[in-house]
Amino acid sequence: MLTLIDYRVRQRDYLLQIARALTSRLDVDEVLRLVLAASLAMLGGEVGLVALREADNRFRARASVGVPAEKLGVFKPLLESISLDEQHGGIQYNQLNLKMRLVARALDLRLRQAIALPMVMGDQILGVIFVLRSYVGEYSANDQSVLQSFADQAAIAVHNAQLYERLSAEQQRLSAILEHSADGVLIMDASQRIIGFNKALARITGWSQAEAIGQLHDSIISWERVEHGQPLGAALASGWGRQQQIDDDEPDTRYVEGDLRRRDGSRISVGITYTALFDDEGRLQNIIANVRDITHFRRAQEAKSAFISAVSHELKTPVALIKGYASTLRREDARWDEATVQRALAVIEDEADRLAALIENLLAASKLQAEGMRLTQIGEVDLKALLAQAVERFQTQSDKHRLVVALPPDLPTVRGDEVRLRQVFDNLLSNAIKYSPNGGEIRVSGAFDARGVTISVSDQGIGIPAEELPHIFERFYRVDSALSRRTPGTGLGLYLASAFVKAHGGTIRVESTLNKGSTFHVWLPRSPA
Ligand code: ADP
């Protein structure tokens, strides 16, 4: 027979065992299962429940024994007996058995006593363990103290597991942010060995995560050409990263820009910012590299300078012609016959028109950039008349090209901005002439259905290489070819045409075969949404 002393020793042993088991667990659900099993064993309960306090200060059932998961709702009355009034350890004991009876009835079980053990850390109630049993038992002061010390252990274990849960969630969130960052991120240890390498960087460098992790920085980041700043090795050699800067708010970073050699040998323009991280003792711990693909930026810069020289050229040519003809006409020592005067004036007028069109395009582009596209004068536009006029105008500019209009006679009108639509087709026709230096036919055809009208402008010119097609509607973009270098242009025409068409709710696309010709298709809704 057990003596009272034996019994107490056993009780303590058991408690110690549980405490050990609890503190070694870091998974909240597992800790709660253990806590419940131990509580039920100690108190001889049939039904058990652990409720934890959530961020909104409400208590929610997190683990149970003796009740199927879908019936957890029956514990609602018990959960309501928990108050945040810490005076009674958070439990309104006077109502406990009453609430328990409601639960017992809902579960159809013979339960006669409810015991609630609050889990308290500091002055915070973390949760409550409920044990329901089919008999009413008394418990001594010793039992009370054993139970309380168990609940305290449980509180610590739950608290730790919750901290761990939060920490790993936070860590997962951070890794996800790094992983999905649009910029490449590289994390190194103090000896420049790679310990982190995100998706964007794999895309930029062509090296996979698995290949890069464990490698030295320089075997992945290899410069073909450095344009600004120092590569990491040189920066470290010159003393950077050796000592922590005093000003913690301004991390000590290094920026380097240039062309990287990718895994497949191709090049990519990047800017890399290196940041050094130090430990508490000021020793270098990690180096973080943010790698940004600046190809677009570079291309935009190049396009812009090409644009400025193109515009200057575009302005210079007509101005020189106008000036030349005007000074010739003004010469006092010469008398010009009427026909010569007319020819000179026609050139002056044409060139002035060209200048006006160029200025119109420049203004439209800068307006578009500043305030987006707005259609101002919407009305019924007769595309047939508009195109016939445009074709007639362009035909006078070239006798090498044959301009043909083949539109359905019943082509319906569209609702739109006539000025803008005229600019669209002027740009397409002017390109068709410019980019078919050997002449040929330029055909304007059309089709329509209930929703919209398609106008196609096709030429038999130089065509556009397939790899250039995705870019030709970009601002300032010009295909680099011998002809285009000789041909005046600013790279704005198609950019504007596309913006105007889109503003009408329409689309513009191109089909082209190199050295055979191009066809631009403009679709416009009969009335924009
Ligand atoms: P640009 O002022 O250079 O003509 P655009 O924006 O009108 O500018 O056109 C962009 C580029 O697309 C041109 O530089 C040219 O290389 C190409 N392109 C446009 N239209 C044609 C065409 N009909 N045939 C061949 N290439 C074309």
Side-chain angles (χ1 to χ4, degrees):
M1 196 185 122
L2 281 179
T3 64
L4 192 60
I5 300 286
D6 284 343
Y7 174 70
R8 285 198 181 149
V9 168
R10 276 193 162 193
Q11 226 178 12
R12 295 269 163 209
D13 274 355
Y14 181 56
L15 205 60
L16 211 68
Q17 241 177 337
I18 293 175
R20 258 193 232 120
L22 281 183
T23 42
S24 64
R25 300 294 196 279
L26 281 174
D27 176 63
V28 177
D29 292 320
E30 202 184 335
V31 166
L32 294 181
R33 269 197 303 277
L34 272 176
V35 165
L36 258 189
S39 311
L40 289 178
M42 277 191 295
L43 289 165
E46 277 101 34
V47 172
L49 166 80
V50 186
L52 291 186
R53 182 180 187 160
E54 311 254 316
D56 58 1
N57 276 334
R58 281 213 276 211
F59 286 80
R60 272 189 203 99
R62 276 286 299 259
S64 68
V65 168
V67 184
E70 67 276 9
K71 281 202 170 170
L72 282 182
V74 302
F75 287 116
K76 200 164 165 249
L78 277 183
L79 299 187
E80 281 164 358
S81 70
I82 310 173
S83 80
L84 283 176
D85 163 20
E86 336 264 282
Q87 213 185 356
H88 305 285
I91 308 294
Q92 294 161 334
Y93 286 100
N94 52 348
Q95 302 195 2
L96 201 58
N97 275 319
L98 193 79
K99 300 277 171 77
M100 185 221 41
R101 254 173 257 137
L102 295 177
V103 174
R105 200 175 308 142
L107 289 174
D108 202 14
L109 287 175
R110 271 174 172 281
L111 296 170
R112 299 193 49 217
Q113 189 178 28
I115 300 155
L117 297 174
M119 294 188 284
V120 181
M121 268 283 285
D123 53 5
Q124 280 260 336
I125 304 175
L126 295 186
V128 182
I129 310 167
F130 291 99
V131 173
L132 311 183
R133 59 190 186 187
S134 56
Y135 65 96
V136 179
E138 285 301 316
Y139 36 5
S140 63
N142 173 66
D143 291 342
Q144 272 292 349
S145 109
V146 169
L147 285 174
Q148 197 46 59
S149 104
F150 166 73
D152 292 346
Q153 296 281 2
I156 295 171
V158 168
H159 182 66
N160 284 345
Q162 279 180 326
L163 278 185
Y164 183 76
E165 195 174 65
R166 249 172 256 148
L167 208 68
S168 22
E170 184 66 8
Q171 212 163 25
Q172 267 172 18
R173 209 169 61 88
L174 278 178
S175 325
I177 291 175
L178 270 192
E179 192 54 28
H180 295 107
S181 152
D183 280 345
V185 180
L186 182 77
I187 305 173
M188 286 161 269
D189 64 13
S191 60
Q192 300 164 54
R193 206 163 278 288
I194 298 172
I195 54 177
F197 194 88
N198 74 349
K199 264 201 197 110
L201 196 52
R203 205 167 46 237
I204 292 173
T205 61
W207 292 92
S208 74
Q209 227 161 11
E211 289 168 324
I213 300 278
Q215 298 282 338
L216 284 175
H217 168 274
D218 286 0
S219 39
I220 301 296
I221 303 294
S222 72
W223 294 101
E224 186 89 27
R225 190 174 65 97
V226 172
E227 203 161 283
H228 292 298
Q230 273 180 322
L232 180 64
L236 287 166
S238 70
W240 177 77
R242 207 170 293 156
Q243 226 174 3
Q244 186 164 18
Q245 278 223 324
I246 311 299
D247 187 0
D248 248 359
D249 295 340
E250 275 287 314
D252 189 11
T253 60
R254 278 290 182 279
Y255 181 71
V256 49
E257 189 180 306
D259 296 332
L260 279 190
R261 200 174 316 116
R262 303 179 73 246
R263 189 180 190 279
D264 62 2
S266 60
R267 283 169 167 224
I268 185 163
S269 302
V270 297
I272 305 186
T273 306
Y274 292 100
T275 311
L277 296 186
F278 298 88
D279 65 11
D280 290 345
E281 267 109 58
R283 276 181 310 233
L284 180 64
Q285 200 167 32
N286 293 108
I287 301 172
I288 317 257
N290 281 71
V291 185
R292 177 163 289 187
D293 175 357
I294 56 169
T295 315
H296 279 298
F297 175 69
R298 279 275 179 85
R299 198 157 58 207
Q301 263 181 331
E302 278 160 21
K304 210 166 198 160
S305 22
F307 166 74
I308 289 173
S309 70
V311 168
S312 326
H313 178 82
E314 283 268 87
L315 289 172
K316 256 203 281 192
T317 318
V319 169
L321 278 170
I322 290 171
K323 167 117 178 110
Y325 276 95
S327 347
T328 309
L329 289 183
R330 275 198 65 207
R331 275 173 64 167
E332 283 169 3
D333 56 345
R335 287 268 149 264
W336 306 110
D337 60 76
E338 185 53 26
T340 314
V341 171
Q342 280 309 323
R343 248 196 332 269
L345 287 176
V347 172
I348 290 175
E349 197 178 1
D350 276 355
E351 293 305 314
D353 281 348
R354 201 136 87 86
L355 274 180
L358 173 66
I359 290 165
E360 181 62 39
N361 270 356
L362 288 175
L363 279 179
S366 88
K367 227 168 140 175
L368 194 61
Q369 184 76 357
E371 50 195 75
M373 182 67 227
R374 242 179 303 145
L375 298 176
T376 40
Q377 287 155 330
I378 299 282
E380 221 50 59
V381 182
D382 180 356
L383 287 175
K384 234 171 358 136
L386 185 151
L387 287 163
Q389 279 165 10
V391 162
E392 200 182 306
R393 234 178 320 119
F394 279 98
Q395 185 65 79
T396 61
Q397 292 179 11
S398 166
D399 36 26
K400 270 207 276 182
H401 299 87
R402 202 156 41 85
L403 278 83
V404 179
V405 187
L407 292 169
D410 50 350
L411 189 79
T413 57
V414 295
R415 280 193 70 74
D417 183 330
E418 179 156 355
V419 176
R420 295 307 184 205
L421 290 179
R422 176 167 301 132
Q423 263 176 299
V424 170
F425 294 109
D426 281 1
N427 276 321
L428 293 183
L429 287 167
S430 140
N431 281 347
I433 293 177
K434 275 199 307 195
Y435 300 106
S436 38
N438 299 326
E441 186 182 274
I442 291 166
R443 171 175 282 265
V444 179
S445 53
F448 65 93
D449 60 17
R451 286 183 51 235
V453 174
T454 304
I455 304 292
S456 306
V457 178
S458 54
D459 61 54
Q460 299 171 329
I462 59 169
I464 302 163
E467 69 275 13
E468 302 282 357
L469 289 177
H471 300 297
I472 58 167
F473 296 101
E474 288 169 15
R475 200 162 58 118
F476 307 148
Y477 196 89
R478 306 197 69 207
V479 177
D480 190 22
S481 69
L483 174 71
S484 66
R485 259 172 269 136
R486 273 185 284 119
T487 312
T490 53
L492 282 180
L494 288 182
Y495 164 71
L496 289 172
S498 146
F500 294 157
V501 169
K502 278 188 197 141
H504 282 81
T507 54
I508 181 166
R509 64 189 177 84
V510 57
E511 283 169 314
S512 187
T513 312
L514 208 53
N515 301 321
K516 286 259 161 58
S518 313
T519 303
F520 286 82
H521 303 280
V522 173
W523 179 84
L524 292 165
R526 284 167 78 160
S527 61

